[in-house]
Amino acid sequence: MYAVTPSISVLGIIGNVLSIMILLKHGLVKSSNILLFTLAVADIIYLVSFNNVPKIIYETSDEIGFRGFSETTSSVLVVVYSVFLTSDFSSSLVSLTMPMLITLERMVAIFIPMKCSRIVTPKRTWAAVVVVVLYSLALFVYPNFWYQLRFEWHADLNASIGYRDFSPLHTRDAVVVRVIEDMCVYSISVIPPLFTVAGCIVISVKVKLVSIQRKKMTSKEVSSNRTTKMLLAVCAVYTVTCAILTVPINVPVISYGPFSETHPSNIAIVMYQVMNIFICINSSCNFIIYVGLNKNFRKTFKELFTCK
């Protein structure tokens, strides 16, 4: 948390800023560009929120918590921590949902190309993005009220440590807690990756068949195929990340996160950091994929640093 994820995040933020500059230069008139633009913005917000100072202070102490701070300072830190946590989780949900929308857009473009421009319009794409953003905020704002700041004296450390612990509302909201937890699991680790994997397989088969037919007529690669391959690569990296995210869900003993218990096991903390590294990589590598697989993107990137 001091070096690895911050270093990855800095590179990711730079890459995503460059992606936004290039996408804006291309124009947000294509639905695929709108989705990639949203993905880049969500990734930047996630990478900034994930590396917030109160979180690093809280999670890297010898004893997890706010150690050595007054009650007032700890209260401010836990509020800032909660704000960034909401931003962190909401933006990661948006980031992990965009590949599903990208896959859906590509399926329409590949299977019904003549009607694609009428079905997948920029206005409808923006509407879908707004719905996803509002849903992610609705899912992660309320859980902050399940927590409160609690101080506990540790004689061995000769210090009082402030913990972000469950509040009485968490106990009263037992049913709501379960519902929101299930919604989080299905929204992040079940529905989007399953849909994306299935869609990518179908699209890959279709693209292969179309390529074979077109090779008989011309040797030139069609632009839509290049775009599809680039977007499939984005979805492939995303699928690997989601596969890693599902491990703690199926093995609860190694499950830990900011919405979990106060005193996790060591193996849970290690798994939590491994997951964080992969999510940061997922949010940081898209620019490399764009430049490596898309000729137009590569050309525009060069133009950004070329004097006319």
Side-chain angles (χ1 to χ4, degrees):
M1 290 192 71
Y2 286 138
V4 179
T5 47
S7 299
I8 295 171
S9 300
V10 168
L11 294 174
I13 291 169
I14 294 171
N16 282 304
V17 168
L18 290 172
S19 296
I20 289 172
M21 292 170 64
I22 293 170
L23 289 167
L24 288 175
K25 203 157 189 177
H26 287 176
L28 301 180
V29 292
K30 290 173 61 180
S31 294
S32 57
N33 283 359
I34 294 171
L35 295 174
L36 293 178
F37 173 82
T38 304
L39 180 60
V41 172
D43 284 341
I44 289 174
I45 295 172
Y46 168 76
L47 293 170
V48 171
S49 301
F50 175 80
N51 293 283
N52 71 85
V53 175
K55 177 181 179 180
I56 293 174
I57 293 172
Y58 188 85
E59 296 184 5
T60 58
S61 302
D62 294 335
E63 179 75 26
I64 287 180
F66 293 118
R67 178 183 175 183
F69 294 95
S70 67
E71 188 171 341
T72 302
T73 304
S74 296
S75 298
V76 173
L77 287 172
V78 80
V79 169
V80 176
Y81 178 88
S82 299
V83 170
F84 275 114
L85 193 65
T86 301
S87 176
D88 173 343
F89 274 67
S90 299
S91 58
S92 65
L93 190 151
V94 174
S95 177
L96 293 171
T97 304
M98 282 304 109
M100 181 176 71
L101 297 183
I102 290 170
T103 303
L104 183 61
E105 186 270 341
R106 282 294 93 188
M107 289 179 71
V108 175
I110 293 295
F111 285 95
I112 41 177
M114 302 303 292
K115 297 181 180 179
C116 180
S117 59
R118 294 198 302 271
I119 297 173
V120 186
T121 63
K123 189 177 291 186
R124 289 175 180 173
T125 305
W126 281 118
V129 168
V130 170
V131 169
V132 170
V133 171
L134 292 177
Y135 173 73
S136 65
L137 288 172
L139 205 57
F140 292 114
V141 169
Y142 183 70
N144 285 297
F145 296 101
W146 295 340
Y147 297 86
Q148 63 183 5
L149 182 63
R150 176 183 62 82
F151 282 89
E152 185 178 305
W153 175 258
H154 289 250
D156 56 330
L157 300 173
N158 194 31
S160 183
I161 298 179
Y163 294 105
R164 187 174 178 270
D165 208 354
F166 289 130
S167 67
L169 180 63
H170 182 269
T171 305
R172 294 198 301 268
D173 275 357
V175 176
V176 178
V177 170
R178 184 61 184 168
V179 170
I180 291 181
E181 285 179 347
D182 288 343
M183 289 175 68
C184 290
V185 170
Y186 280 97
S187 299
I188 293 176
S189 304
V190 179
I191 296 175
L194 289 179
F195 182 90
T196 302
V197 169
C200 286
I201 292 172
V202 172
I203 291 171
S204 298
V205 172
K206 179 66 175 178
V207 167
K208 189 66 178 176
L209 293 174
V210 171
S211 296
I212 292 172
Q213 292 176 349
R214 281 175 175 160
K215 277 182 180 179
K216 296 177 181 178
M217 297 180 287
T218 176
S219 60
K220 188 177 180 181
E221 186 177 18
V222 180
S223 175
S224 62
N225 278 0
R226 289 197 299 268
T227 302
T228 300
K229 288 177 181 177
M230 180 189 74
L231 297 177
L232 285 175
V234 171
C235 294
V237 174
Y238 154 84
T239 303
V240 173
T241 303
C242 287
I244 294 168
L245 290 178
T246 59
V247 174
I249 296 171
N250 297 312
V251 188
V253 71
I254 62 172
S255 177
Y256 166 65
F259 288 137
S260 304
E261 58 182 291
T262 306
H263 303 287
S265 64
N266 287 336
I267 185 64
I269 294 174
V270 171
M271 188 61 200
Y272 171 60
Q273 297 300 342
V274 170
M275 288 168 52
N276 289 337
I277 289 172
F278 274 93
I279 296 175
C280 286
I281 292 172
N282 176 69
S283 297
S284 303
C285 68
N286 289 334
F287 173 74
I288 298 172
I289 295 173
Y290 302 157
V291 172
L293 297 180
N294 191 287
K295 185 179 178 181
N296 292 334
F297 208 92
R298 193 160 53 244
K299 180 182 176 183
T300 307
F301 173 64
K302 291 177 181 177
E303 288 175 354
L304 290 177
F305 303 97
T306 303
C307 295
K308 294 184 180 180

